[in-house]
Amino acid sequence: MSTIQLNNNTKIPVLGLGTWQSSPEEVYTAVLHALKTGYRHIDTAFAYDNEESIGRAIHDSGIPRDELFITTKLWCTYHQVPQEGLKESLKRLGLEYVDLYLMHWPVPLNPKGNDPKFPTLPDGNRDIVEGWDFVKTWEKMQELVGNGTKSVGVSNFDVENLERLLEAPSTKIVPVANQVELHPHLPQHKLLKFAKAKGIVLEAYSPLGSTNSPLLTEPELVKIAEKYQVSTATILISWAIWRGTVVLPKSITPKRIESNFKTVKLDDVDGKTIDDLHKTIGIKRFINPNWYPVTVFHGDE
Ligand code: A2P
């Protein structure tokens, strides 16, 4: 399994199993099957409600812990106490450490609101903590390195928010990774260039275009898939690797888990064709929750 070197000299396997929207029952067999297939990188989050099953599958696989790369994420209602968020995730996972702990979204939510995960205000908008922001959260997350996680990073950060984070005097550690939505409808070339220049690895979530993806039948991608005699999904995963990102395809289907693991080395000409595909098929962001009044995505570049 090939790896990418992170800015703290640890390594991350380029391909990992995504688990968002995998129920606890589904995810147990999916993770076990993925580990049998050869995956060594599993991506989860407190908010996915499946950490406990994933922990059990890891344990039952019998694979030594140091051969695995496990990521989980700090949920928004824990922004003021990331050490508690991590502690609770480790307990659910049944692990002593994770390899990577990510700030899931750059928005703190009220931990004492009307819902433990998605507290809302009477007007329906999310109940956001005033007077706190992700720079303060990051200040605290930095202390977690060596205390339950090997590395820390962020998720759903655009260039503007990354710049703010990196310029803050309290920022001593550059995030090792930024996990964002990436696929041919949302290649985010500008963000990728910026992240590479700063030594931040981008991780692609929803690399297939999420559930019922229109990309799987996109004629240009189907044509490239025919050239390599593989599925369109394999082309999407291989393109993510070709452009230097980590890629996290989600599946609970054994056959797909297996085929998603067999990537191909794309010719540059095909990689560049896919790079430019958004010019004809258009830009589409599939995951864009309402964080009003906070702007999370200032653009789609
Ligand atoms: P399932 O989990 O039922 O196998 P993304 O990673 O972009 O979020 O995409 C996940 C979606 O794509 C899920 O609905 C998943 O279905 C489906 N999927 C995963 N792998 C493949 C594949 N090789 N071919 C077609 N669909 C796939």
Side-chain angles (χ1 to χ4, degrees), residues 71-264:
T71 298
T72 194
K73 310 186 189 85
L74 174 78
W75 185 243
C76 306
T77 49
Y78 286 81
H79 267 228
Q80 288 147 301
V81 285
Q83 68 285 6
E84 276 182 33
L86 177 57
K87 203 170 133 199
E88 290 177 22
S89 279
L90 290 174
K91 197 165 165 218
R92 277 188 298 270
L93 285 161
L95 297 175
E96 280 174 20
Y97 68 91
V98 286
D99 296 272
L100 178 57
Y101 196 48
L102 301 176
M103 191 189 313
H104 204 149
W105 290 91
V107 191
L109 289 179
N110 183 1
K112 296 195 175 109
N114 65 356
D115 185 89
K117 246 183 232 142
F118 297 102
T120 50
L121 295 170
D123 66 6
N125 287 315
R126 290 190 177 176
D127 187 356
I128 292 169
V129 179
E130 281 174 34
W132 189 273
D133 76 357
F134 60 76
V135 171
K136 287 191 188 176
T137 311
W138 187 251
E139 191 178 349
K140 287 179 170 256
M141 281 184 74
Q142 296 175 127
E143 294 166 16
L144 303 178
V145 176
N147 291 310
T149 185
K150 287 196 172 175
S151 309
V152 282
V154 294
S155 181
N156 295 300
F157 270 60
D158 64 0
V159 172
E160 226 163 303
N161 282 339
L162 273 181
E163 272 176 339
R164 250 194 74 208
L165 184 65
L166 296 177
E167 282 163 10
S170 56
T171 296
K172 312 285 180 220
I173 294 180
V174 174
V176 297
N178 178 24
Q179 187 179 125
V180 292
E181 180 180 341
L182 289 175
H183 46 67
H185 267 307
L186 194 70
Q188 305 207 61
H189 292 303
K190 191 175 152 202
L191 176 63
L192 181 57
K193 194 169 165 211
F194 178 85
K196 277 186 182 169
K198 300 291 180 189
I200 301 168
V201 169
L202 285 196
E203 295 187 84
Y205 76 66
S206 296
L208 309 178
S210 205
T211 318
N212 300 321
S213 173
L215 289 169
L216 296 175
T217 49
E218 166 52 41
E220 194 66 47
L221 293 171
V222 170
K223 204 167 94 191
I224 295 173
E226 280 165 4
K227 171 178 162 187
Y228 293 86
Q229 299 275 295
V230 295
S231 70
T232 322
T234 296
I235 293 299
L236 290 164
I237 296 164
S238 304
W239 170 70
I241 296 172
W242 173 83
R243 68 200 296 245
T245 70
V246 165
V247 61
L248 305 164
K250 174 262 175 187
S251 181
I252 51 161
T253 313
K255 282 272 166 286
R256 289 172 173 174
I257 290 172
E258 287 164 33
S259 73
N260 291 349
F261 192 64
K262 292 185 201 130
T263 57
V264 292

